[in-house]
Amino acid sequence: MAVDIEFSDLFRPELPVPAARWSGFPRYNFVGGHNDSASVPVDDMIRAVSDVLGREGHTLATYGLQSGPLGYRPLREFVVRKLAERCGMSVSADAVLITSGSNQALELVNTVLCAPGDTVLLEEFSYGGAISRLRGRGVTLAGVPIDSHGMRMDALASMLADHAARGSRVKYIYVIPTVQNPGGSVMPLDRRLDLLRLSAEYGVPIVEDECYADLTWDQQRPHAIASLDGAGNRVIHVGSFSKTIAPALRVGYVTAEQPVIAQMVACKSDGGTGALEQMMLAEYCNSRFDTHVETLVRTLEVKLDTLIDALGEEFGATAEFERPTGGIFLWVTLPDIVDTRVLATEAAAAGVALNPGPEWSADPEAARSRLRLCFGHPEAAEIREGVCILADICHRTFGVPVRSGNVARG
C-alpha cells in the first residue's frame, strides 16, 4: 500500500515563510530595484548578442567560456576599466569575480566570513536584502546612526570601542557610501578616510556596496572607499549591472584581495553566472555604457521630481524626506502614528506596492513610520495616481494627511 508523502512535514526547521503565488505586478509598483523599462537598450543588446555569438558562440560548449571560474574575462576587464575611470579603483581582472547579481556577492561575503553569533555593523537603515541574509545566518546586527552624509563616524568609533572593550569581535562593517540605500546620501571624502582609519585601528574589514553609485544626477561619482585603501586589503567592493542596464540580467561583481576571491570561488557552486548575459554585457558596455547611463539618469531625475511633487500635493508637510542625489528610490518619514507595515498591507489591496521601513532597518521599530518608494519603474501618471491612493489610505487609517482634498476623497 502506497504511503502519501506530505513534503511540508519533511522540510527542515527554521525555513522562511513560503512564497505566495505570484499574480503579476501591482498597478502602482514602488518596490524593489525595478528600473525604467523604456530605458533598457533592447536594440543595442540584440546587436551585441548577435555580434558576440557570431564571434565566440562556440565557447558556450564549456563552463566558464574558456575564461575560468571568475567569469567572462572581457566583462571582468570592462569592470576594471569602469572602476578605474568612475571611482578611482585600481584592480586587476583576476581580482574581479562575476556573480549572479550583487545579492550573490553579498551572500558569498557572508558565506566566507560569517557564522551564527557573529556581529556585523551597518547603517541603522540599510539594504533590506543584506539585513535579511545576515539575520538568516544568525548574525547579530548593530545599526550605526546616520545623518544626511551617511554613516556617522563618531557613532561608529564609539560602537567599535565598546565591542573591543567587551572582547566582542566585529566581523565586518557593511556600508553603502554612494547613493545610500534607502536614504540616498553620499558619504564625503573625509568620512571615507575616517572609516578606513577605524577599520585599521580595530582590524575590522569593510564591505562596500556601490550598486547605485553610477546613478548620480551630476555623474560625479566619488572615489570608492576601496580606492582610498592604501593597504589594499581592508575593503571588499561589490557592484552590479542591475541598476544601470537591467535588473533581470542578474549580473554583479565583487572585488577583493586574492585570498578572499579564491575562497569565494570555492564557495560559488553554481557552475558559473549566466554566460550569455556576461557576453552581451561585455560587448555592449565597452562602447555604450557611459552614454546609456547619462541618458538613464536624466530620465530617473525627472521621475524623482514627479514623485516629490506628488508627495507635496497629497501629503504636504506630513511626508518628510531629503532629496537624493541619485538612485531610484526615496526614503520617506510619515507621522509616528503611521505603521507602514499596516499601510503596505492596505495599499497592496488597492494595487499599490511599497517597501515598509522596518524591512530596511537593523531595528524594525525605529523605522515603523518610514517607507521606501522606488520611482524607477512607474510612469509619471502612475506615480501621481499611486501617491494619491497612499494619501487616501493614510487619511482613512491613520488620520493623516489632514487636508481638505484628502478628506473629500476619503
Side-chain angles (χ1 to χ4, degrees):
M1 177 178 176
V3 177
D4 290 338
I5 296 175
E6 183 61 53
F7 273 97
S8 59
D9 294 337
L10 302 176
F11 292 161
R12 67 175 177 82
E14 299 178 358
L15 285 174
V17 175
R21 184 184 297 273
W22 191 71
S23 57
F25 286 119
R27 181 175 180 183
Y28 307 101
N29 186 9
F30 295 105
V31 300
H34 304 138
N35 217 321
D36 181 66
S37 58
S39 296
V40 177
V42 176
D43 291 340
D44 286 339
M45 291 164 70
I46 291 171
R47 284 190 287 272
V49 168
S50 178
D51 289 347
V52 74
L53 285 183
R55 190 175 65 247
E56 300 180 41
H58 292 297
T59 63
L60 289 167
T62 59
Y63 289 99
L65 299 169
Q66 299 180 0
S67 288
L70 293 177
Y72 184 50
R73 188 170 187 90
L75 182 58
R76 288 187 281 128
E77 290 172 345
F78 170 74
V79 170
V80 168
R81 290 194 297 275
K82 180 176 86 78
L83 293 177
E85 293 169 2
R86 287 182 165 259
C87 63
M89 287 179 60
S90 178
V91 298
S92 73
D94 291 333
V96 177
L97 172 63
I98 302 298
T99 59
S100 299
S102 62
N103 275 324
Q104 187 183 48
L106 294 176
E107 189 65 15
L108 288 170
V109 170
N110 294 335
T111 298
V112 169
L113 296 181
C114 293
D118 284 343
T119 296
V120 168
L121 303 187
L122 71 170
E123 293 133 329
E124 60 180 333
F125 308 125
S126 188
Y127 172 44
I131 290 172
S132 62
R133 281 169 172 76
L134 287 165
R135 285 190 176 134
R137 288 181 172 272
V139 172
T140 299
L141 303 181
V144 182
I146 61 175
D147 60 20
S148 59
H149 297 295
M151 183 181 283
R152 282 175 38 201
M153 292 301 109
D154 60 334
L156 176 62
S158 177
M159 293 175 70
L160 286 170
D162 179 65
H163 278 279
R166 293 187 284 111
S168 170
R169 183 176 183 184
V170 175
K171 268 301 175 72
Y172 68 81
I173 303 163
Y174 174 70
V175 64
I176 310 170
T178 308
V179 189
Q180 200 270 343
N181 185 3
S185 62
V186 176
M187 183 182 287
L189 176 61
D190 59 343
R191 287 200 190 185
R192 294 171 189 245
L193 294 172
D194 282 345
L195 179 53
L196 281 167
R197 178 182 57 79
L198 290 169
S199 167
E201 181 178 348
Y202 290 96
V204 178
I206 299 164
V207 175
E208 177 182 34
D209 186 345
E210 291 221 302
C211 286
Y212 294 89
D214 287 314
L215 300 180
T216 55
W217 309 142
D218 61 5
Q219 287 288 278
Q220 298 300 309
R221 177 175 171 176
H223 280 312
I225 295 170
S227 75
L228 305 168
D229 177 19
N233 61 1
R234 302 194 188 284
V235 184
I236 298 173
H237 181 93
V238 174
S240 175
F241 292 96
S242 293
K243 307 307 178 288
T244 50
I245 307 297
L249 290 174
R250 308 312 307 130
V251 178
Y253 54 87
V254 56
T255 75
E257 64 173 346
Q258 198 280 329
V260 176
I261 292 294
Q263 190 61 67
M264 287 183 175
V265 170
C267 295
K268 190 177 185 290
S269 57
D270 57 2
T273 296
L276 191 58
E277 293 91 329
Q278 294 185 65
M279 295 170 78
M280 182 278 293
L281 279 170
E283 192 77 9
Y284 172 79
C285 289
N286 270 314
S287 60
R288 301 178 180 90
F289 182 83
D290 290 337
T291 302
H292 166 73
V293 171
E294 288 171 7
T295 302
L296 175 60
V297 295
R298 288 196 292 271
T299 298
L300 293 176
E301 188 173 16
V302 170
K303 289 191 173 189
L304 170 62
D305 290 339
T306 301
L307 175 59
I308 288 175
D309 288 345
L311 288 168
E313 291 171 3
E314 301 296 337
F315 284 87
T318 60
E320 299 178 357
F321 51 83
E322 293 193 21
R323 188 182 191 276
T325 58
I328 60 173
F329 41 75
L330 187 66
W331 184 234
V332 180
T333 302
L334 296 176
D336 290 342
I337 58 173
V338 177
D339 185 333
T340 56
R341 290 164 293 198
V342 175
L343 173 61
T345 299
E346 297 198 15
V352 181
L354 60 89
N355 292 124
E359 296 176 0
W360 303 80
S361 179
D363 175 8
E365 282 305 306
R368 182 177 180 274
S369 62
R370 296 175 184 253
L371 68 153
R372 196 190 80 151
L373 297 174
C374 178
F375 54 82
H377 187 70
E379 298 300 324
E382 294 169 337
I383 290 172
R384 293 188 180 280
E385 292 168 10
V387 170
C388 179
I389 293 170
L390 285 180
D392 286 342
I393 295 171
C394 281
H395 179 70
R396 291 197 306 268
T397 305
F398 305 104
V400 295
V402 182
R403 300 172 69 224
S404 59
N406 297 96
V407 173
R409 286 194 297 271

